[in-house]
Amino acid sequence: MTRVIIIDWGTSSFRAWLVARDTGAVLDTLPSGKGLRAMAGQSFPAYARDRLAPWRNEAEGTPPVLMAGMVGAPSGWRKAAQPPLPVGTRDLAAQVVPAEGLAKAWILPGAHVRGADGHVDVMRGEEVQVLGALALLGRSDGLFCLPGTHSKWARAEGGRLVDFATFLTGEMRAVLLGHSILGEPATADAPFDPAAFDQGLAQAATPGGPLHHVFSSRGRFLYGALAPEGVASFLSGVLIGAELDGALARAPDARTAPIALVGGASLQAPYERALTARGLRVEVIPADQATRAGVLAVATDLGV
Amino acid sequence: MTRVIIIDWGTSSFRAWLVARDTGAVLDTLPSGKGLRAMAGQSFPAYARDRLAPWRNEAEGTPPVLMAGMVGAPSGWRKAAQPPLPVGTRDLAAQVVPAEGLAKAWILPGAHVRGADGHVDVMRGEEVQVLGALALLGRSDGLFCLPGTHSKWARAEGGRLVDFATFLTGEMRAVLLGHSILGEPATADAPFDPAAFDQGLAQAATPGGPLHHVFSSRGRFLYGALAPEGVASFLSGVLIGAELDGALARAPDARTAPIALVGGASLQAPYERALTARGLRVEVIPADQATRAGVLAVATDLGV
């Protein structure tokens, strides 16, 4: 049986799966490892060789390694291109770069988009998730929401990624909680508070925009209408609501078909709640599955 | 000649003027002093007595002292009320509190507003600026923009403050530059870059909302379309643009009359540029003048 090693190497984690080439079945998984931030000054080839040793045996023939994510950024192993849209799996396969220092290993490119007005947006890792999600859904068109530190909304047409936009939602929540007056009363690691989240979501639906709406957490807190343990969830509601409303303003046809939510476990619930509250239909696709399906499709196009 | 001491004591500075009661003429000004943040653990009465000593002479009769701003917050000298809207100078005069430990000294109240949906917004210091600006303009109605760390947009009708909204614009810019990925390439203390500011302003006018638009600074920087020394001005353009568009969404009649811009010197230019770019007419009122005119009106109502 032919096997492929798939790695999702991002800013905050390294994750690897040994996958059956034909069925896509996961044969083995490594414990999560160091993301790019924790790799500062370390050798990428040495770290990868060490982590992947259980799966790579030169005598028996080593499975190929395909890596996606920020590992292809200038701060990663080796810079990979970010081709302009539209981008399909063949376009990604055409621009992989060898991962220097490790045999039979490649880094996938990202993608970028330019607007007529000078706007530029960038991604590394989500393009392959969108293409993988398309394959899992058996479709060639769709609107995708990929929540995260830098959430992405993407559109596919004819089996290729044709548009996307980044929203700073996750990082914004972190900097407001960690470094602004709004975070001062917030309880660290408070559990998700659905009522406070819904209040933030409702606040985001009123006129004024997120710069105004986030400050409502201050007023509500000072007047006893928001408990310290609800502040983080309230801000999540405001920011996710603002992300949704901003993304929908860019996609007026969003209500005609379900939105594919490609997310990890922790963000899936609040995003599903927010999308449903805005009257949208949602299809959930686990982000890991989407990554693997997308990378496998690139591996096929690449012939490895 | 009767004199009044007017103090604007906020989070980041203490400013004081000796003013002629009848004409409002500034007779003397103290060098700027410690804001609330720098007062931690220190005695407010002792600091005020020391700073105001040149103007207070018990033998000759001491001028009354009226203070506005965050000095009336729970973290300040003594907590003053925040009466609900509508609020005029008489309502403020009715709720001043004595500044304990200093003779003939009072702290002015702030204001708060509640929405039907649980929203609460708060201010301390801007209410008196709006009422002072009304007096300076010789009007009883108007829409006011008061830029700052926490920018305020306020509406006056019949000589009273009837609505306002806070925007986290200034603090948002500071936390994004200081603590997010967007600030990484930014040059510290770069001078204002009008071209980059205008690009941010134009970006803010496209669909997507500020969570998306701020990330454009990352894409533009990575693709050479925004220089490191332009990042801060680009973000200012995006955020001030988002503030304006949010405020205008709350005030559909904003285009029928000029907007009164009540600001300090450093923010006046970018806000005037942004308001003009959005096709709005602007009247500029220096914030210090507005503070003094508002406090003087309260002093009259108070009979001191």
Side-chain angles (χ1 to χ4, degrees):
Chain A
M1 181 177 59
T2 316
R3 300 164 308 160
V4 179
I5 295 172
I6 294 174
I7 299 179
D8 176 6
W9 206 341
T11 304
S12 55
S13 72
F14 164 101
R15 304 170 67 228
W17 302 273
L18 183 67
V19 172
R21 187 72 195 74
D22 298 337
T23 63
V26 176
L27 307 172
D28 197 12
T29 305
L30 289 183
S32 182
K34 288 184 184 175
L36 260 62
R37 250 197 310 262
M39 284 294 292
Q42 293 181 72
S43 159
F44 283 91
Y47 185 78
R49 256 196 309 274
D50 180 55
R51 295 303 313 270
L52 302 179
W55 296 341
R56 287 173 62 99
N57 182 327
E58 305 302 332
E60 291 180 16
T62 277
V65 179
L66 289 170
M67 292 179 261
M70 290 297 284
V71 64
S75 58
W77 188 326
R78 184 183 166 185
K79 186 179 175 182
Q82 287 179 310
L85 302 185
V87 161
T89 56
R90 274 175 216 177
D91 306 293
L92 297 183
Q95 302 217 34
V96 299
V97 293
E100 290 158 337
L102 190 71
K104 290 178 70 179
W106 292 271
I107 298 170
L108 270 61
H112 86 274
V113 61
R114 269 176 196 272
D117 54 357
H119 172 66
V120 183
D121 211 333
V122 290
M123 57 167 50
R124 284 193 190 277
E126 295 91 352
E127 64 298 317
V128 81
Q129 291 183 323
V130 170
L131 298 172
L134 273 185
L136 291 171
L137 292 166
R139 259 187 240 143
S140 55
D141 305 294
L143 188 60
F144 296 82
C145 169
L146 303 99
T149 303
H150 299 161
S151 291
K152 308 283 182 185
W153 281 70
R155 178 185 295 280
E157 284 172 14
R160 302 211 286 178
L161 179 67
V162 297
D163 188 33
F164 71 87
T166 304
F167 295 78
L168 200 76
T169 315
E171 185 168 5
M172 183 68 81
R173 177 178 183 276
V175 297
L176 290 179
L177 284 173
H179 301 285
S180 85
I181 193 174
L182 306 182
E184 279 177 13
T187 313
D189 300 322
F192 180 69
D193 178 337
F197 180 82
D198 289 349
Q199 285 167 26
L201 211 51
Q203 176 73 41
T206 67
L211 290 175
H212 170 53
H213 295 138
V214 292
F215 195 76
S216 186
S217 79
R218 183 79 190 156
R220 288 170 192 248
F221 163 71
L222 290 172
Y223 279 76
L226 181 64
E229 41 299 350
V231 169
S233 294
F234 179 85
L235 288 175
S236 290
V238 166
L239 295 173
I240 293 175
E243 176 189 324
L244 261 57
D245 296 333
L248 296 179
R250 295 183 78 258
D253 60 338
R255 293 181 185 281
T256 61
I259 289 167
L261 177 61
V262 183
S266 66
L267 290 175
Q268 185 194 307
Y271 272 80
E272 201 171 352
R273 191 177 182 94
L275 286 158
T276 306
R278 290 288 193 266
L280 299 157
R281 285 179 296 144
V282 186
E283 288 170 312
V284 174
I285 296 139
D288 287 355
Q289 280 185 35
T291 299
R292 293 193 300 263
V295 175
L296 267 189
V298 172
T300 302
D301 291 330
L302 200 57
V304 300
Chain B
M1 182 178 58
T2 317
R3 299 164 308 159
V4 179
I5 294 172
I6 294 174
I7 298 179
D8 177 6
W9 206 340
T11 304
S12 55
S13 72
F14 163 103
R15 304 169 68 228
W17 303 273
L18 182 68
V19 172
R21 186 74 196 74
D22 298 335
T23 63
V26 176
L27 307 172
D28 197 14
T29 305
L30 289 183
S32 182
K34 288 183 184 179
L36 259 63
R37 251 198 309 263
M39 284 293 293
Q42 293 181 72
S43 158
F44 283 90
Y47 185 79
R49 255 196 309 273
D50 180 55
R51 294 305 311 272
L52 302 178
W55 296 340
R56 288 174 62 96
N57 182 325
E58 305 302 332
E60 292 180 16
T62 279
V65 179
L66 289 169
M67 292 180 260
M70 292 297 284
V71 65
S75 59
W77 187 327
R78 183 183 168 185
K79 186 178 174 181
Q82 287 179 310
L85 303 186
V87 161
T89 56
R90 274 175 217 177
D91 306 292
L92 296 183
Q95 302 217 33
V96 298
V97 293
E100 290 157 339
L102 191 72
K104 288 179 70 180
W106 293 271
I107 298 170
L108 271 60
H112 87 275
V113 60
R114 271 176 194 273
D117 55 355
H119 172 66
V120 183
D121 210 333
V122 290
M123 58 167 50
R124 283 194 190 277
E126 295 90 353
E127 64 297 317
V128 81
Q129 291 183 324
V130 170
L131 298 172
L134 272 185
L136 291 171
L137 292 166
R139 259 188 240 140
S140 54
D141 306 292
L143 188 60
F144 296 81
C145 168
L146 302 98
T149 303
H150 299 162
S151 290
K152 309 283 182 184
W153 282 70
R155 177 185 296 280
E157 284 172 13
R160 302 212 286 178
L161 179 67
V162 296
D163 187 34
F164 71 87
T166 304
F167 296 79
L168 200 76
T169 315
E171 185 168 5
M172 183 68 82
R173 177 178 183 276
V175 297
L176 290 179
L177 284 172
H179 301 286
S180 85
I181 193 173
L182 305 181
E184 280 177 13
T187 313
D189 300 321
F192 180 69
D193 177 338
F197 180 82
D198 288 348
Q199 285 167 26
L201 210 51
Q203 176 73 40
T206 67
L211 290 174
H212 169 54
H213 295 139
V214 291
F215 195 76
S216 185
S217 79
R218 182 79 189 155
R220 288 170 193 249
F221 163 71
L222 290 171
Y223 279 76
L226 181 63
E229 38 306 345
V231 168
S233 293
F234 179 84
L235 288 175
S236 290
V238 166
L239 296 172
I240 292 175
E243 175 189 325
L244 261 56
D245 295 333
L248 295 179
R250 295 183 77 257
D253 61 337
R255 293 181 185 283
T256 61
I259 289 167
L261 177 61
V262 183
S266 66
L267 291 175
Q268 184 194 308
Y271 272 80
E272 201 172 352
R273 191 177 181 93
L275 286 158
T276 306
R278 289 288 193 268
L280 298 157
R281 283 179 298 146
V282 187
E283 286 170 312
V284 174
I285 296 138
D288 287 354
Q289 280 185 34
T291 298
R292 292 193 299 264
V295 175
L296 268 188
V298 172
T300 303
D301 291 329
L302 199 58
V304 299

